[in-house]
């Protein structure tokens, strides 16, 4: 993995795009780790992995602004006052810290990676911590295109493998993807990746918390695939693990079923169904939390995130689709907070002071068929 | 050689003695509530993997097991878990949630 940095002039919105590709890259990395474990006679694979990790560690923070923000947050436990219409702030970059931390030792949440030698725990979690990924893939794609143009112009010389794969169709195949990753996989490694990604359909590739991810789920990360709740919830588990470690004020990442059980399934408030969820997940109860992050699946077609901020008393909809917020859901979430507080303290919150907002300046989907799933993952300022 | 002979004799005895006492408390009733609010209940032993219950529910409801998620108090129930592990009590509810996809 040559950490090919994008030109700095790259527009901000573009920097978020290759997120899912990076995750795929991590799958490959995980497979390589398996190789290391299974065939000790190929130590170079392991060495390469170490080098990659080091590279990631030493990578300069792409956004100093964001880094400063994270430092400031770490120093002051109290929440910074937020305006009613908060401007969009990209997530601070702290991937290096996470990677280091996770490689150190046992991470309970993301442990038990079947057949992957335990390295999957760094892979998914690393992604979780870092949306400002290096758009390496974009870079390679551009290069391959340029190369192909040159070759077509010259009408001679064999095409590179990547150019061949990229040239005919924009849509990437799994194999084409792999061919684009530097350093290219050896045939032996490719065989193994294929084995994991194709052959063992039913076997779990990685266990994240209680969620088993199989090949079928990773395939959803291909460009053009829709995200399933498993991927989203696994991601939430990893974010939870990350934030429990690295942040002072507490954040609860709910699973994607909270909104469904609370309101969306029956379009009426069902507090009884979810009354125990928070108590089970969070030690100190709702009063100890600063934020609740609720991923929402709308009618099996669209993902977005709602952040409930208990300090500034706002419910923020991070939705890539333009339009009004779902007022029913907003009210249900307000009521959820009120009832949860009432259940714990016996006192009723005055919810009239709460605001429902959709921040200005959010990157929006340009078309109806954008990938809102990853959009959700990459643009919500989790902390 | 003579050792194995008395063992089978005493074994059923022990089983008979304890079976009546433990089985009553060992079985718990678990409600499985679907998204539309339908409630089905199952009796299951505390130490039986819940996959048995899941499969029974799915065949009864006519859904594929991979298309639904079983949740207990907000966390996912794995097939190999037992009621004992989850500290379930008699009358507890398991939520069945449909698979969610979306994005494009």
């Amino acid at each position: 993995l040559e950490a090919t940095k994008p030109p700095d002039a790259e527009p901000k919105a573009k920097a978020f795009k290759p997120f899912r590709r990076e995750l795929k890259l991590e799958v490959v990395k995980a497979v390589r780790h398996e190789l290391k474990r299974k065939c000790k006679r190929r130590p170079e694979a392991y060495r390469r992995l170490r080098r990659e990790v080091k590279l990631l560690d030493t990578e300069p923070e792409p956004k100093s602004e964001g880094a400063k923000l994270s430092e400031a947050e770490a120093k002051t436990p109290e929440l910074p006052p937020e305006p009613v219409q908060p401007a969009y702030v990209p997530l601070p970059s702290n991937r290096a810290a996470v990677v280091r931390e996770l490689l150190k030792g046992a991470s309970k949440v993301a442990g038990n990676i079947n057949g992957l030698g335990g390295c999957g725990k760094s892979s998914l979690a690393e992604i979780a911590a870092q949306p400002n990924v290096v758009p390496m893939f974009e870079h390679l794609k551009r290069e391959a295109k340029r190369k192909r143009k040159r070759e077509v112009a010259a009408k001679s010389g064999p095409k590179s493998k990547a150019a061949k794969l990229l040239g005919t169709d924009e849509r990437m195949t799994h194999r084409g993807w792999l061919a684009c990753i530097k350093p290219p996989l050896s045939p032996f490694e490719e065989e193994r990746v294929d084995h994991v990604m194709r052959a063992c359909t039913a076997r779990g590739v990685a266990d994240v918390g209680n969620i088993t991810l199989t090949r079928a789920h990773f395939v959803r990360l291909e460009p053009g695939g829709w995200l399933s709740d498993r991927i989203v919830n696994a991601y939430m588990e990893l974010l939870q693990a990350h934030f429990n470690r690295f942040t002072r004020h507490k954040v609860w990442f709910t699973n994607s079923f909270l909104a469904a059980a609370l309101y969306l399934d029956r379009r009426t408030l069902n507090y009884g169904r979810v009354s125990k969820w928070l108590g089970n997940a969070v030690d100190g109860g709702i009063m100890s939390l600063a934020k609740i992050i609720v991923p929402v699946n709308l009618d099996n077609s669209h993902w977005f995130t709602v952040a409930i901020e208990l300090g500034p008393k706002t419910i923020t909809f991070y939705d890539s689709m333009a339009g009004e917020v779902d007022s029913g859901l907003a009210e249900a979430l307000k009521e959820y907070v009120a009832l949860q507080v009432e259940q714990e303290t016996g006192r009723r919150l005055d919810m009239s002071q709460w605001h429902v907002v959709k921040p200005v300046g959010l990157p929006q989907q340009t078309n109806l068929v954008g990938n809102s799933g990853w959009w959700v993952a990459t643009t919500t300022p989790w902390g | 050689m003579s050792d194995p002979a008395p063992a089978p004799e005493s074994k059923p005895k022990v089983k008979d003695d304890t079976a009546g006492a433990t089985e009553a408390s060992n079985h718990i009733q678990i409600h499985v509530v679907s998204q539309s609010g339908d409630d089905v209940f199952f009796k299951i032993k505390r130490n039986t993997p819940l996959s048995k219950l899941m499969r029974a529910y799915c065949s009864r409801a006519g859904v594929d097991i991979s298309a639904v998620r079983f949740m207990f108090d907000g966390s996912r129930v794995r097939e190999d878990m037992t009621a004992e592990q989850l500290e379930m009590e008699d009358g507890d509810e398991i939520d069945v949630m449909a698979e969610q996809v979306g994005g494009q």
Side-chain angles (χ1 to χ4, degrees):
Chain A
L1 171 108
E2 250 68 76
T4 41
K5 294 237 58 172
D8 282 341
E10 186 107 359
K12 218 188 254 175
K14 271 196 176 168
F16 291 113
K17 264 192 170 174
F19 189 71
R20 142 198 351 220
R21 288 157 183 159
E22 186 80 351
L23 184 45
K24 280 177 71 183
L25 183 85
E26 294 305 325
V27 177
V28 174
K29 221 196 245 179
V31 173
R32 282 190 177 156
H33 216 80
E34 184 196 21
L35 283 176
K36 177 220 136 198
R37 196 174 59 91
K38 285 206 171 159
C39 33
K40 292 229 165 86
R41 58 206 147 88
R42 285 176 61 89
E44 67 269 25
Y46 175 64
R47 250 182 270 129
R48 192 160 53 209
L49 182 91
R50 294 305 305 179
R51 225 178 302 133
E52 282 165 12
V53 171
K54 232 181 227 167
L55 265 177
L56 295 174
D57 269 354
T58 53
E59 223 168 73
E61 308 282 49
K63 289 204 175 61
S64 56
E65 234 180 288
K68 266 179 213 159
L69 195 119
S70 77
E71 274 169 32
E73 271 182 358
K75 270 173 202 161
T76 53
E78 63 265 10
L79 283 167
E82 271 188 50
V84 179
Q85 287 277 310
Y88 168 65
V89 184
L91 185 66
S93 152
N94 36 18
R95 142 155 99 179
V98 192
V99 175
R100 221 173 291 128
E101 199 62 29
L102 282 164
L103 287 181
K104 245 188 226 166
S107 151
K108 273 175 201 154
V109 175
N112 186 24
I113 313 287
N114 299 335
L116 291 178
C119 97
K121 67 188 167 198
S122 70
S123 57
L124 277 165
E126 182 193 332
I127 300 300
Q130 175 57 290
N132 298 330
V133 289
V134 182
M136 183 188 75
F137 180 78
E138 288 293 319
H139 176 76
L140 287 170
K141 209 160 134 184
R142 250 182 281 128
E143 256 197 1
K145 258 189 183 173
R146 233 176 279 144
K147 200 174 175 187
R148 184 171 155 262
K149 265 186 192 168
R150 248 182 281 134
E151 280 171 359
V152 169
K155 282 187 180 174
S156 65
K159 286 179 184 178
S160 77
K161 196 176 177 187
K164 246 188 242 168
L165 282 152
L166 285 164
T168 47
D169 195 346
E170 283 291 303
R171 247 188 77 222
M172 293 294 300
T173 59
H174 165 63
R175 199 173 257 287
W177 212 138
L178 294 178
C180 285
I181 295 165
K182 287 181 188 173
L185 298 175
S186 70
F188 178 68
E189 285 171 327
E190 268 199 37
E191 199 183 295
R192 294 310 303 263
V193 172
D194 272 358
H195 178 67
V196 172
M197 293 296 278
R198 283 175 207 274
C200 47
T201 336
R203 225 186 78 204
V205 176
D207 276 358
V208 181
N210 281 343
I211 301 156
T212 303
L213 296 175
T214 65
R215 185 204 65 97
H217 302 117
F218 279 108
V219 166
R220 284 188 175 276
L221 299 169
E222 295 264 353
W226 284 29
L227 288 187
S228 74
D229 56 292
R230 277 193 202 229
I231 292 274
V232 170
N233 288 335
Y235 184 66
M236 289 293 142
E237 293 255 1
L238 291 164
L239 280 170
Q240 184 75 66
H242 168 66
F243 273 87
N244 286 351
R245 251 166 217 252
F246 292 105
T247 57
R248 279 254 187 94
H249 55 256
K250 287 175 76 181
V251 185
W252 178 40
F253 295 89
T254 73
N255 59 47
S256 62
F257 298 112
L258 180 87
L262 178 70
Y263 175 73
L264 290 172
D265 273 353
R266 304 175 202 169
R267 288 274 162 190
T268 52
L269 186 75
N270 272 297
Y271 177 69
R273 279 181 89 187
V274 296
S275 58
K276 286 183 194 163
W277 291 25
L278 192 141
N280 275 354
V282 183
D283 289 339
I286 194 168
M287 300 311 279
S288 70
L289 290 172
K291 247 187 202 188
I292 303 173
I293 306 283
V294 188
V296 182
N297 179 277
L298 203 62
D299 301 331
N300 258 356
S301 59
H302 180 55
W303 286 101
F304 64 92
T305 312
V306 181
I308 303 171
E309 286 157 284
L310 293 133
K313 298 185 178 174
T314 51
I315 293 177
T316 318
F317 279 65
Y318 293 95
D319 190 346
S320 63
M321 301 278 257
E324 293 292 302
V325 299
D326 186 337
S327 59
L329 178 63
E331 285 305 313
L333 287 170
K334 263 191 201 175
E335 200 54 32
Y336 172 71
V337 173
L339 287 167
Q340 192 70 41
V341 171
E342 200 175 353
Q343 179 186 305
E344 280 175 27
T345 64
R347 160 170 81 76
R348 169 106 193 149
L349 271 190
D350 178 16
M351 297 309 287
S352 63
Q353 291 170 21
W354 281 63
H355 307 282
V356 178
V357 295
K358 200 170 172 180
V360 289
L362 273 175
Q364 296 284 309
Q365 274 175 225
T366 46
N367 50 357
L368 278 174
V369 285
N371 48 12
S372 56
W374 285 113
W375 186 93
V376 165
T378 52
T379 56
T380 308
W382 305 110
Chain B
M1 287 297 259
S2 59
D3 273 347
E9 274 173 35
S10 59
K11 248 186 189 171
K13 257 190 185 176
V14 175
K15 246 188 186 173
D16 277 340
D17 283 345
T18 51
T22 53
E23 238 168 60
S25 59
N26 233 355
H27 274 99
I28 56 168
Q29 202 172 36
I30 294 175
H31 294 256
V32 181
V33 185
S34 77
Q35 274 173 301
S36 53
D38 301 329
D39 188 344
V40 182
F41 62 85
F42 292 89
K43 261 191 177 174
I44 190 166
K45 271 189 199 165
R46 280 180 197 274
N47 49 12
T48 305
L50 289 168
S51 58
K52 202 174 170 186
L53 178 148
M54 294 177 188
R55 281 172 212 290
Y57 177 84
C58 285
S59 63
R60 194 181 160 146
V63 289
D64 186 38
I65 196 159
S66 63
V68 288
R69 316 273 182 262
F70 292 86
M71 314 280 294
F72 177 62
D73 284 354
S75 56
R76 218 188 138 96
V77 179
R78 294 175 72 105
E79 292 200 9
D80 56 348
M81 284 174 165
T82 64
E84 201 165 25
Q85 279 171 0
L86 291 165
E87 294 170 9
M88 283 180 171
E89 284 159 26
D90 205 28
D92 270 346
E93 285 183 6
I94 288 184
D95 281 305
V96 187
M97 308 298 285
E99 183 184 25
Q100 296 174 326
V101 290
Q104 285 217 335

